[in-house]
Amino acid sequence: RIAEAMHEEKPGSASLDNQFDITATRDVHERTTAEEIWQQTYAKVDAFVCATGTGGTLAGVARGLRKHHPNVTIGLCDPEGSGLHHYFTHGEIKIVGSSLSEGIGNSRITDNLADTVIDWSCQIPDSEALTIVYDKIRDEGL
């Protein structure tokens, strides 16, 4: 609303980029990230799994890898509080729990994620995710 008002008052002074629904995010990951993964693994990718924010990384990498390997398995691992896990396992958005994770997890299908085939989904509770992070910090002396 503010960006629209600023733009109306002075054209070109503000814009709303809407990273969730402008599919340039997905397209860039399809062209770059997927290709980098494919090349750096010497074309030996059987699965790709990540959490989502905008959905652009997961969808773009999925699409890019499937150009090379149509049967690659694509997985979504989101924190509790994300509605996407329930959507991909039960067909409806339903938020269960909450998470301390910022910027990860979503409660809608974004344009970036729309029409991307996700083969399986899981939720990772904060207690498990944070334990992994704390162990890594401890073990590496960070």
PDB file of all heavy atoms in Angstrom, residues 8-47:
ATOM      1  N   GLU A   8       2.587   6.297  -7.007  1.00  0.00           N
ATOM      2  CA  GLU A   8       1.576   7.167  -7.613  1.00  0.00           C
ATOM      3  C   GLU A   8       1.974   8.639  -7.479  1.00  0.00           C
ATOM      4  O   GLU A   8       1.815   9.423  -8.413  1.00  0.00           O
ATOM      5  CB  GLU A   8       0.206   6.930  -6.977  1.00  0.00           C
ATOM      6  CG  GLU A   8      -0.894   7.634  -7.734  1.00  0.00           C
ATOM      7  CD  GLU A   8      -2.261   7.086  -7.395  1.00  0.00           C
ATOM      8  OE1 GLU A   8      -2.385   5.862  -7.270  1.00  0.00           O
ATOM      9  OE2 GLU A   8      -3.172   7.913  -7.276  1.00  0.00           O
ATOM     10  N   GLU A   9       2.517   8.990  -6.313  1.00  0.00           N
ATOM     11  CA  GLU A   9       2.941  10.380  -6.093  1.00  0.00           C
ATOM     12  C   GLU A   9       4.157  10.740  -6.946  1.00  0.00           C
ATOM     13  O   GLU A   9       4.225  11.821  -7.510  1.00  0.00           O
ATOM     14  CB  GLU A   9       3.276  10.593  -4.613  1.00  0.00           C
ATOM     15  CG  GLU A   9       3.624  12.029  -4.277  1.00  0.00           C
ATOM     16  CD  GLU A   9       3.886  12.207  -2.791  1.00  0.00           C
ATOM     17  OE1 GLU A   9       3.082  11.686  -1.988  1.00  0.00           O
ATOM     18  OE2 GLU A   9       4.891  12.847  -2.456  1.00  0.00           O
ATOM     19  N   LYS A  10       5.101   9.807  -7.028  1.00  0.00           N
ATOM     20  CA  LYS A  10       6.318  10.047  -7.812  1.00  0.00           C
ATOM     21  C   LYS A  10       6.670   8.748  -8.540  1.00  0.00           C
ATOM     22  O   LYS A  10       7.316   7.869  -7.980  1.00  0.00           O
ATOM     23  CB  LYS A  10       7.465  10.470  -6.898  1.00  0.00           C
ATOM     24  CG  LYS A  10       8.722  10.821  -7.663  1.00  0.00           C
ATOM     25  CD  LYS A  10       9.821  11.302  -6.723  1.00  0.00           C
ATOM     26  CE  LYS A  10      11.066  11.584  -7.535  1.00  0.00           C
ATOM     27  NZ  LYS A  10      12.207  11.856  -6.655  1.00  0.00           N
ATOM     28  N   PRO A  11       6.205   8.593  -9.787  1.00  0.00           N
ATOM     29  CA  PRO A  11       6.436   7.345 -10.531  1.00  0.00           C
ATOM     30  C   PRO A  11       7.908   6.920 -10.525  1.00  0.00           C
ATOM     31  O   PRO A  11       8.803   7.742 -10.707  1.00  0.00           O
ATOM     32  CB  PRO A  11       5.957   7.696 -11.943  1.00  0.00           C
ATOM     33  CG  PRO A  11       4.926   8.754 -11.722  1.00  0.00           C
ATOM     34  CD  PRO A  11       5.468   9.572 -10.566  1.00  0.00           C
ATOM     35  N   GLY A  12       8.108   5.635 -10.259  1.00  0.00           N
ATOM     36  CA  GLY A  12       9.449   5.076 -10.241  1.00  0.00           C
ATOM     37  C   GLY A  12      10.145   5.181  -8.898  1.00  0.00           C
ATOM     38  O   GLY A  12      11.252   4.687  -8.731  1.00  0.00           O
ATOM     39  N   SER A  13       9.496   5.796  -7.915  1.00  0.00           N
ATOM     40  CA  SER A  13      10.145   5.997  -6.618  1.00  0.00           C
ATOM     41  C   SER A  13      10.050   4.780  -5.707  1.00  0.00           C
ATOM     42  O   SER A  13      10.817   4.662  -4.752  1.00  0.00           O
ATOM     43  CB  SER A  13       9.540   7.209  -5.905  1.00  0.00           C
ATOM     44  OG  SER A  13       8.179   6.974  -5.584  1.00  0.00           O
ATOM     45  N   ALA A  14       9.132   3.855  -5.980  1.00  0.00           N
ATOM     46  CA  ALA A  14       8.973   2.678  -5.121  1.00  0.00           C
ATOM     47  C   ALA A  14       8.303   1.565  -5.916  1.00  0.00           C
ATOM     48  O   ALA A  14       7.582   1.808  -6.875  1.00  0.00           O
ATOM     49  CB  ALA A  14       8.124   3.021  -3.903  1.00  0.00           C
ATOM     50  N   SER A  15       8.569   0.333  -5.474  1.00  0.00           N
ATOM     51  CA  SER A  15       7.904  -0.813  -6.097  1.00  0.00           C
ATOM     52  C   SER A  15       7.761  -1.921  -5.065  1.00  0.00           C
ATOM     53  O   SER A  15       8.470  -1.955  -4.060  1.00  0.00           O
ATOM     54  CB  SER A  15       8.704  -1.333  -7.294  1.00  0.00           C
ATOM     55  OG  SER A  15       9.924  -1.897  -6.856  1.00  0.00           O
ATOM     56  N   LEU A  16       6.843  -2.796  -5.310  1.00  0.00           N
ATOM     57  CA  LEU A  16       6.640  -3.961  -4.460  1.00  0.00           C
ATOM     58  C   LEU A  16       7.098  -5.171  -5.263  1.00  0.00           C
ATOM     59  O   LEU A  16       6.494  -5.525  -6.272  1.00  0.00           O
ATOM     60  CB  LEU A  16       5.164  -4.105  -4.066  1.00  0.00           C
ATOM     61  CG  LEU A  16       4.814  -5.322  -3.229  1.00  0.00           C
ATOM     62  CD1 LEU A  16       5.563  -5.290  -1.893  1.00  0.00           C
ATOM     63  CD2 LEU A  16       3.319  -5.369  -2.985  1.00  0.00           C
ATOM     64  N   ASP A  17       8.192  -5.779  -4.838  1.00  0.00           N
ATOM     65  CA  ASP A  17       8.779  -6.862  -5.622  1.00  0.00           C
ATOM     66  C   ASP A  17       8.057  -8.193  -5.452  1.00  0.00           C
ATOM     67  O   ASP A  17       8.087  -9.022  -6.338  1.00  0.00           O
ATOM     68  CB  ASP A  17      10.264  -7.025  -5.282  1.00  0.00           C
ATOM     69  CG  ASP A  17      11.053  -5.814  -5.758  1.00  0.00           C
ATOM     70  OD1 ASP A  17      10.651  -5.210  -6.756  1.00  0.00           O
ATOM     71  OD2 ASP A  17      12.045  -5.474  -5.108  1.00  0.00           O
ATOM     72  N   ASN A  18       7.448  -8.460  -4.318  1.00  0.00           N
ATOM     73  CA  ASN A  18       6.677  -9.679  -4.086  1.00  0.00           C
ATOM     74  C   ASN A  18       7.459 -10.932  -4.477  1.00  0.00           C
ATOM     75  O   ASN A  18       7.096 -11.655  -5.397  1.00  0.00           O
ATOM     76  CB  ASN A  18       5.339  -9.623  -4.825  1.00  0.00           C
ATOM     77  CG  ASN A  18       4.431 -10.777  -4.407  1.00  0.00           C
ATOM     78  OD1 ASN A  18       4.750 -11.547  -3.514  1.00  0.00           O
ATOM     79  ND2 ASN A  18       3.298 -10.904  -5.072  1.00  0.00           N
ATOM     80  N   GLN A  19       8.542 -11.178  -3.766  1.00  0.00           N
ATOM     81  CA  GLN A  19       9.428 -12.289  -4.079  1.00  0.00           C
ATOM     82  C   GLN A  19       8.746 -13.654  -4.038  1.00  0.00           C
ATOM     83  O   GLN A  19       9.234 -14.614  -4.611  1.00  0.00           O
ATOM     84  CB  GLN A  19      10.621 -12.289  -3.130  1.00  0.00           C
ATOM     85  CG  GLN A  19      10.246 -12.542  -1.687  1.00  0.00           C
ATOM     86  CD  GLN A  19      11.448 -12.469  -0.767  1.00  0.00           C
ATOM     87  OE1 GLN A  19      12.567 -12.349  -1.215  1.00  0.00           O
ATOM     88  NE2 GLN A  19      11.199 -12.552   0.524  1.00  0.00           N
ATOM     89  N   PHE A  20       7.603 -13.754  -3.369  1.00  0.00           N
ATOM     90  CA  PHE A  20       6.913 -15.033  -3.275  1.00  0.00           C
ATOM     91  C   PHE A  20       6.205 -15.418  -4.573  1.00  0.00           C
ATOM     92  O   PHE A  20       6.060 -16.594  -4.867  1.00  0.00           O
ATOM     93  CB  PHE A  20       5.901 -15.015  -2.121  1.00  0.00           C
ATOM     94  CG  PHE A  20       6.557 -14.986  -0.776  1.00  0.00           C
ATOM     95  CD1 PHE A  20       6.950 -13.794  -0.204  1.00  0.00           C
ATOM     96  CD2 PHE A  20       6.810 -16.168  -0.092  1.00  0.00           C
ATOM     97  CE1 PHE A  20       7.580 -13.766   1.032  1.00  0.00           C
ATOM     98  CE2 PHE A  20       7.438 -16.155   1.135  1.00  0.00           C
ATOM     99  CZ  PHE A  20       7.828 -14.955   1.692  1.00  0.00           C
ATOM    100  N   ASP A  21       5.771 -14.424  -5.327  1.00  0.00           N
ATOM    101  CA  ASP A  21       4.956 -14.720  -6.496  1.00  0.00           C
ATOM    102  C   ASP A  21       5.546 -14.280  -7.829  1.00  0.00           C
ATOM    103  O   ASP A  21       4.960 -14.541  -8.875  1.00  0.00           O
ATOM    104  CB  ASP A  21       3.564 -14.114  -6.316  1.00  0.00           C
ATOM    105  CG  ASP A  21       2.833 -14.787  -5.160  1.00  0.00           C
ATOM    106  OD1 ASP A  21       2.883 -16.024  -5.053  1.00  0.00           O
ATOM    107  OD2 ASP A  21       2.232 -14.065  -4.341  1.00  0.00           O
ATOM    108  N   ILE A  22       6.678 -13.633  -7.815  1.00  0.00           N
ATOM    109  CA  ILE A  22       7.364 -13.334  -9.068  1.00  0.00           C
ATOM    110  C   ILE A  22       8.299 -14.501  -9.337  1.00  0.00           C
ATOM    111  O   ILE A  22       9.243 -14.748  -8.589  1.00  0.00           O
ATOM    112  CB  ILE A  22       8.115 -11.990  -8.997  1.00  0.00           C
ATOM    113  CG1 ILE A  22       7.085 -10.863  -8.876  1.00  0.00           C
ATOM    114  CG2 ILE A  22       9.020 -11.812 -10.203  1.00  0.00           C
ATOM    115  CD1 ILE A  22       7.670  -9.488  -8.752  1.00  0.00           C
ATOM    116  N   THR A  23       8.038 -15.231 -10.371  1.00  0.00           N
ATOM    117  CA  THR A  23       8.731 -16.505 -10.603  1.00  0.00           C
ATOM    118  C   THR A  23      10.163 -16.356 -11.103  1.00  0.00           C
ATOM    119  O   THR A  23      10.817 -17.354 -11.393  1.00  0.00           O
ATOM    120  CB  THR A  23       7.921 -17.390 -11.566  1.00  0.00           C
ATOM    121  OG1 THR A  23       7.712 -16.679 -12.782  1.00  0.00           O
ATOM    122  CG2 THR A  23       6.592 -17.786 -10.947  1.00  0.00           C
ATOM    123  N   ALA A  24      10.664 -15.150 -11.142  1.00  0.00           N
ATOM    124  CA  ALA A  24      12.075 -14.956 -11.500  1.00  0.00           C
ATOM    125  C   ALA A  24      12.976 -15.671 -10.501  1.00  0.00           C
ATOM    126  O   ALA A  24      14.035 -16.178 -10.861  1.00  0.00           O
ATOM    127  CB  ALA A  24      12.407 -13.465 -11.549  1.00  0.00           C
ATOM    128  N   THR A  25      12.541 -15.735  -9.247  1.00  0.00           N
ATOM    129  CA  THR A  25      13.309 -16.451  -8.219  1.00  0.00           C
ATOM    130  C   THR A  25      13.483 -17.910  -8.620  1.00  0.00           C
ATOM    131  O   THR A  25      14.594 -18.450  -8.632  1.00  0.00           O
ATOM    132  CB  THR A  25      12.580 -16.361  -6.862  1.00  0.00           C
ATOM    133  OG1 THR A  25      12.386 -14.996  -6.528  1.00  0.00           O
ATOM    134  CG2 THR A  25      13.363 -17.066  -5.768  1.00  0.00           C
ATOM    135  N   ARG A  26      12.391 -18.553  -8.940  1.00  0.00           N
ATOM    136  CA  ARG A  26      12.414 -19.956  -9.362  1.00  0.00           C
ATOM    137  C   ARG A  26      13.251 -20.119 -10.624  1.00  0.00           C
ATOM    138  O   ARG A  26      14.075 -21.042 -10.735  1.00  0.00           O
ATOM    139  CB  ARG A  26      10.977 -20.428  -9.593  1.00  0.00           C
ATOM    140  CG  ARG A  26      10.882 -21.857 -10.083  1.00  0.00           C
ATOM    141  CD  ARG A  26       9.459 -22.229 -10.409  1.00  0.00           C
ATOM    142  NE  ARG A  26       9.003 -21.516 -11.597  1.00  0.00           N
ATOM    143  CZ  ARG A  26       7.734 -21.322 -11.905  1.00  0.00           C
ATOM    144  NH1 ARG A  26       6.781 -21.758 -11.117  1.00  0.00           N
ATOM    145  NH2 ARG A  26       7.410 -20.693 -12.999  1.00  0.00           N
ATOM    146  N   ASP A  27      13.071 -19.225 -11.583  1.00  0.00           N
ATOM    147  CA  ASP A  27      13.770 -19.329 -12.863  1.00  0.00           C
ATOM    148  C   ASP A  27      15.284 -19.229 -12.698  1.00  0.00           C
ATOM    149  O   ASP A  27      16.041 -19.958 -13.346  1.00  0.00           O
ATOM    150  CB  ASP A  27      13.273 -18.252 -13.825  1.00  0.00           C
ATOM    151  CG  ASP A  27      11.785 -18.393 -14.131  1.00  0.00           C
ATOM    152  OD1 ASP A  27      11.208 -19.466 -13.880  1.00  0.00           O
ATOM    153  OD2 ASP A  27      11.201 -17.399 -14.609  1.00  0.00           O
ATOM    154  N   VAL A  28      15.729 -18.340 -11.818  1.00  0.00           N
ATOM    155  CA  VAL A  28      17.169 -18.196 -11.587  1.00  0.00           C
ATOM    156  C   VAL A  28      17.741 -19.465 -10.968  1.00  0.00           C
ATOM    157  O   VAL A  28      18.798 -19.942 -11.373  1.00  0.00           O
ATOM    158  CB  VAL A  28      17.462 -16.961 -10.705  1.00  0.00           C
ATOM    159  CG1 VAL A  28      18.883 -16.987 -10.172  1.00  0.00           C
ATOM    160  CG2 VAL A  28      17.217 -15.693 -11.497  1.00  0.00           C
ATOM    161  N   HIS A  29      17.044 -20.041  -9.992  1.00  0.00           N
ATOM    162  CA  HIS A  29      17.523 -21.282  -9.376  1.00  0.00           C
ATOM    163  C   HIS A  29      17.517 -22.442 -10.375  1.00  0.00           C
ATOM    164  O   HIS A  29      18.381 -23.317 -10.311  1.00  0.00           O
ATOM    165  CB  HIS A  29      16.704 -21.634  -8.135  1.00  0.00           C
ATOM    166  CG  HIS A  29      17.063 -20.803  -6.956  1.00  0.00           C
ATOM    167  ND1 HIS A  29      18.271 -20.896  -6.311  1.00  0.00           N
ATOM    168  CD2 HIS A  29      16.368 -19.840  -6.298  1.00  0.00           C
ATOM    169  CE1 HIS A  29      18.307 -20.049  -5.307  1.00  0.00           C
ATOM    170  NE2 HIS A  29      17.162 -19.387  -5.283  1.00  0.00           N
ATOM    171  N   GLU A  30      16.572 -22.439 -11.285  1.00  0.00           N
ATOM    172  CA  GLU A  30      16.541 -23.481 -12.316  1.00  0.00           C
ATOM    173  C   GLU A  30      17.766 -23.377 -13.220  1.00  0.00           C
ATOM    174  O   GLU A  30      18.400 -24.380 -13.543  1.00  0.00           O
ATOM    175  CB  GLU A  30      15.258 -23.361 -13.146  1.00  0.00           C
ATOM    176  CG  GLU A  30      15.116 -24.425 -14.213  1.00  0.00           C
ATOM    177  CD  GLU A  30      13.801 -24.326 -14.963  1.00  0.00           C
ATOM    178  OE1 GLU A  30      12.862 -23.661 -14.499  1.00  0.00           O
ATOM    179  OE2 GLU A  30      13.709 -24.950 -16.047  1.00  0.00           O
ATOM    180  N   ARG A  31      18.108 -22.161 -13.610  1.00  0.00           N
ATOM    181  CA  ARG A  31      19.242 -21.948 -14.525  1.00  0.00           C
ATOM    182  C   ARG A  31      20.599 -22.038 -13.843  1.00  0.00           C
ATOM    183  O   ARG A  31      21.582 -22.420 -14.471  1.00  0.00           O
ATOM    184  CB  ARG A  31      19.133 -20.575 -15.195  1.00  0.00           C
ATOM    185  CG  ARG A  31      18.065 -20.468 -16.247  1.00  0.00           C
ATOM    186  CD  ARG A  31      18.197 -19.183 -17.060  1.00  0.00           C
ATOM    187  NE  ARG A  31      18.506 -17.997 -16.290  1.00  0.00           N
ATOM    188  CZ  ARG A  31      17.599 -17.192 -15.734  1.00  0.00           C
ATOM    189  NH1 ARG A  31      16.308 -17.461 -15.869  1.00  0.00           N
ATOM    190  NH2 ARG A  31      17.964 -16.107 -15.072  1.00  0.00           N
ATOM    191  N   THR A  32      20.682 -21.656 -12.581  1.00  0.00           N
ATOM    192  CA  THR A  32      21.998 -21.556 -11.938  1.00  0.00           C
ATOM    193  C   THR A  32      22.234 -22.601 -10.851  1.00  0.00           C
ATOM    194  O   THR A  32      23.142 -23.413 -10.967  1.00  0.00           O
ATOM    195  CB  THR A  32      22.203 -20.145 -11.354  1.00  0.00           C
ATOM    196  OG1 THR A  32      21.210 -19.892 -10.350  1.00  0.00           O
ATOM    197  CG2 THR A  32      22.127 -19.083 -12.438  1.00  0.00           C
ATOM    198  N   THR A  33      21.437 -22.587  -9.813  1.00  0.00           N
ATOM    199  CA  THR A  33      21.662 -23.487  -8.677  1.00  0.00           C
ATOM    200  C   THR A  33      21.555 -24.944  -9.089  1.00  0.00           C
ATOM    201  O   THR A  33      22.409 -25.765  -8.725  1.00  0.00           O
ATOM    202  CB  THR A  33      20.667 -23.182  -7.539  1.00  0.00           C
ATOM    203  OG1 THR A  33      20.643 -21.770  -7.298  1.00  0.00           O
ATOM    204  CG2 THR A  33      21.052 -23.931  -6.263  1.00  0.00           C
ATOM    205  N   ALA A  34      20.536 -25.278  -9.852  1.00  0.00           N
ATOM    206  CA  ALA A  34      20.370 -26.669 -10.299  1.00  0.00           C
ATOM    207  C   ALA A  34      21.562 -27.107 -11.146  1.00  0.00           C
ATOM    208  O   ALA A  34      22.071 -28.225 -10.989  1.00  0.00           O
ATOM    209  CB  ALA A  34      19.072 -26.830 -11.080  1.00  0.00           C
ATOM    210  N   GLU A  35      21.999 -26.237 -12.030  1.00  0.00           N
ATOM    211  CA  GLU A  35      23.141 -26.584 -12.886  1.00  0.00           C
ATOM    212  C   GLU A  35      24.417 -26.745 -12.064  1.00  0.00           C
ATOM    213  O   GLU A  35      25.218 -27.652 -12.316  1.00  0.00           O
ATOM    214  CB  GLU A  35      23.331 -25.520 -13.969  1.00  0.00           C
ATOM    215  CG  GLU A  35      22.228 -25.509 -15.004  1.00  0.00           C
ATOM    216  CD  GLU A  35      22.005 -26.862 -15.662  1.00  0.00           C
ATOM    217  OE1 GLU A  35      22.995 -27.479 -16.113  1.00  0.00           O
ATOM    218  OE2 GLU A  35      20.853 -27.317 -15.716  1.00  0.00           O
ATOM    219  N   GLU A  36      24.607 -25.897 -11.079  1.00  0.00           N
ATOM    220  CA  GLU A  36      25.788 -26.003 -10.216  1.00  0.00           C
ATOM    221  C   GLU A  36      25.768 -27.319  -9.442  1.00  0.00           C
ATOM    222  O   GLU A  36      26.789 -28.015  -9.353  1.00  0.00           O
ATOM    223  CB  GLU A  36      25.822 -24.828  -9.238  1.00  0.00           C
ATOM    224  CG  GLU A  36      27.023 -24.833  -8.332  1.00  0.00           C
ATOM    225  CD  GLU A  36      27.055 -23.633  -7.410  1.00  0.00           C
ATOM    226  OE1 GLU A  36      26.223 -22.716  -7.532  1.00  0.00           O
ATOM    227  OE2 GLU A  36      27.947 -23.618  -6.525  1.00  0.00           O
ATOM    228  N   ILE A  37      24.621 -27.676  -8.900  1.00  0.00           N
ATOM    229  CA  ILE A  37      24.497 -28.955  -8.181  1.00  0.00           C
ATOM    230  C   ILE A  37      24.776 -30.115  -9.120  1.00  0.00           C
ATOM    231  O   ILE A  37      25.521 -31.042  -8.791  1.00  0.00           O
ATOM    232  CB  ILE A  37      23.094 -29.087  -7.542  1.00  0.00           C
ATOM    233  CG1 ILE A  37      22.950 -28.076  -6.396  1.00  0.00           C
ATOM    234  CG2 ILE A  37      22.847 -30.511  -7.055  1.00  0.00           C
ATOM    235  CD1 ILE A  37      21.532 -27.932  -5.884  1.00  0.00           C
ATOM    236  N   TRP A  38      24.201 -30.080 -10.306  1.00  0.00           N
ATOM    237  CA  TRP A  38      24.376 -31.156 -11.286  1.00  0.00           C
ATOM    238  C   TRP A  38      25.854 -31.324 -11.651  1.00  0.00           C
ATOM    239  O   TRP A  38      26.383 -32.433 -11.661  1.00  0.00           O
ATOM    240  CB  TRP A  38      23.531 -30.889 -12.520  1.00  0.00           C
ATOM    241  CG  TRP A  38      23.525 -32.003 -13.497  1.00  0.00           C
ATOM    242  CD1 TRP A  38      24.142 -32.052 -14.711  1.00  0.00           C
ATOM    243  CD2 TRP A  38      22.879 -33.267 -13.341  1.00  0.00           C
ATOM    244  NE1 TRP A  38      23.920 -33.257 -15.316  1.00  0.00           N
ATOM    245  CE2 TRP A  38      23.136 -34.027 -14.500  1.00  0.00           C
ATOM    246  CE3 TRP A  38      22.101 -33.829 -12.344  1.00  0.00           C
ATOM    247  CZ2 TRP A  38      22.654 -35.319 -14.679  1.00  0.00           C
ATOM    248  CZ3 TRP A  38      21.612 -35.119 -12.519  1.00  0.00           C
ATOM    249  CH2 TRP A  38      21.894 -35.842 -13.672  1.00  0.00           C
ATOM    250  N   GLN A  39      26.513 -30.220 -11.918  1.00  0.00           N
ATOM    251  CA  GLN A  39      27.921 -30.273 -12.314  1.00  0.00           C
ATOM    252  C   GLN A  39      28.819 -30.677 -11.150  1.00  0.00           C
ATOM    253  O   GLN A  39      29.721 -31.508 -11.318  1.00  0.00           O
ATOM    254  CB  GLN A  39      28.363 -28.926 -12.876  1.00  0.00           C
ATOM    255  CG  GLN A  39      27.737 -28.625 -14.217  1.00  0.00           C
ATOM    256  CD  GLN A  39      27.994 -27.200 -14.675  1.00  0.00           C
ATOM    257  OE1 GLN A  39      28.827 -26.494 -14.132  1.00  0.00           O
ATOM    258  NE2 GLN A  39      27.236 -26.778 -15.681  1.00  0.00           N
ATOM    259  N   GLN A  40      28.594 -30.128  -9.971  1.00  0.00           N
ATOM    260  CA  GLN A  40      29.479 -30.403  -8.846  1.00  0.00           C
ATOM    261  C   GLN A  40      29.299 -31.793  -8.254  1.00  0.00           C
ATOM    262  O   GLN A  40      30.159 -32.264  -7.519  1.00  0.00           O
ATOM    263  CB  GLN A  40      29.335 -29.331  -7.771  1.00  0.00           C
ATOM    264  CG  GLN A  40      29.901 -28.011  -8.230  1.00  0.00           C
ATOM    265  CD  GLN A  40      29.956 -26.980  -7.126  1.00  0.00           C
ATOM    266  OE1 GLN A  40      29.740 -27.263  -5.958  1.00  0.00           O
ATOM    267  NE2 GLN A  40      30.270 -25.760  -7.505  1.00  0.00           N
ATOM    268  N   THR A  41      28.202 -32.455  -8.581  1.00  0.00           N
ATOM    269  CA  THR A  41      28.010 -33.839  -8.132  1.00  0.00           C
ATOM    270  C   THR A  41      28.331 -34.829  -9.261  1.00  0.00           C
ATOM    271  O   THR A  41      28.042 -36.012  -9.142  1.00  0.00           O
ATOM    272  CB  THR A  41      26.564 -34.078  -7.656  1.00  0.00           C
ATOM    273  OG1 THR A  41      25.662 -33.804  -8.734  1.00  0.00           O
ATOM    274  CG2 THR A  41      26.223 -33.223  -6.446  1.00  0.00           C
ATOM    275  N   TYR A  42      28.904 -34.304 -10.343  1.00  0.00           N
ATOM    276  CA  TYR A  42      29.264 -35.135 -11.499  1.00  0.00           C
ATOM    277  C   TYR A  42      28.064 -35.926 -12.025  1.00  0.00           C
ATOM    278  O   TYR A  42      28.169 -37.099 -12.351  1.00  0.00           O
ATOM    279  CB  TYR A  42      30.430 -36.062 -11.155  1.00  0.00           C
ATOM    280  CG  TYR A  42      31.637 -35.302 -10.680  1.00  0.00           C
ATOM    281  CD1 TYR A  42      31.924 -35.224  -9.319  1.00  0.00           C
ATOM    282  CD2 TYR A  42      32.449 -34.614 -11.569  1.00  0.00           C
ATOM    283  CE1 TYR A  42      33.008 -34.487  -8.860  1.00  0.00           C
ATOM    284  CE2 TYR A  42      33.537 -33.878 -11.125  1.00  0.00           C
ATOM    285  CZ  TYR A  42      33.815 -33.819  -9.775  1.00  0.00           C
ATOM    286  OH  TYR A  42      34.883 -33.082  -9.332  1.00  0.00           O
ATOM    287  N   ALA A  43      26.928 -35.254 -12.069  1.00  0.00           N
ATOM    288  CA  ALA A  43      25.685 -35.815 -12.617  1.00  0.00           C
ATOM    289  C   ALA A  43      25.221 -37.047 -11.853  1.00  0.00           C
ATOM    290  O   ALA A  43      24.648 -37.967 -12.424  1.00  0.00           O
ATOM    291  CB  ALA A  43      25.850 -36.128 -14.110  1.00  0.00           C
ATOM    292  N   LYS A  44      25.453 -37.055 -10.561  1.00  0.00           N
ATOM    293  CA  LYS A  44      25.029 -38.186  -9.727  1.00  0.00           C
ATOM    294  C   LYS A  44      24.093 -37.707  -8.616  1.00  0.00           C
ATOM    295  O   LYS A  44      24.369 -37.870  -7.429  1.00  0.00           O
ATOM    296  CB  LYS A  44      26.252 -38.878  -9.123  1.00  0.00           C
ATOM    297  CG  LYS A  44      27.148 -39.517 -10.170  1.00  0.00           C
ATOM    298  CD  LYS A  44      28.309 -40.229  -9.510  1.00  0.00           C
ATOM    299  CE  LYS A  44      29.343 -40.696 -10.479  1.00  0.00           C
ATOM    300  NZ  LYS A  44      28.997 -41.606 -11.474  1.00  0.00           N
ATOM    301  N   VAL A  45      22.994 -37.108  -9.012  1.00  0.00           N
ATOM    302  CA  VAL A  45      22.001 -36.620  -8.063  1.00  0.00           C
ATOM    303  C   VAL A  45      20.767 -37.506  -8.150  1.00  0.00           C
ATOM    304  O   VAL A  45      20.165 -37.628  -9.213  1.00  0.00           O
ATOM    305  CB  VAL A  45      21.599 -35.156  -8.365  1.00  0.00           C
ATOM    306  CG1 VAL A  45      20.542 -34.677  -7.386  1.00  0.00           C
ATOM    307  CG2 VAL A  45      22.811 -34.253  -8.343  1.00  0.00           C
ATOM    308  N   ASP A  46      20.428 -38.128  -7.041  1.00  0.00           N
ATOM    309  CA  ASP A  46      19.212 -38.939  -6.994  1.00  0.00           C
ATOM    310  C   ASP A  46      18.083 -38.238  -6.261  1.00  0.00           C
ATOM    311  O   ASP A  46      16.918 -38.582  -6.441  1.00  0.00           O
ATOM    312  CB  ASP A  46      19.497 -40.273  -6.307  1.00  0.00           C
ATOM    313  CG  ASP A  46      20.443 -41.136  -7.121  1.00  0.00           C
ATOM    314  OD1 ASP A  46      20.268 -41.194  -8.357  1.00  0.00           O
ATOM    315  OD2 ASP A  46      21.350 -41.735  -6.533  1.00  0.00           O
ATOM    316  N   ALA A  47      18.435 -37.262  -5.403  1.00  0.00           N
ATOM    317  CA  ALA A  47      17.412 -36.566  -4.620  1.00  0.00           C
ATOM    318  C   ALA A  47      17.897 -35.180  -4.245  1.00  0.00           C
ATOM    319  O   ALA A  47      19.098 -34.938  -4.123  1.00  0.00           O
ATOM    320  CB  ALA A  47      17.088 -37.353  -3.361  1.00  0.00           C
TER     321      ALA A  47
END
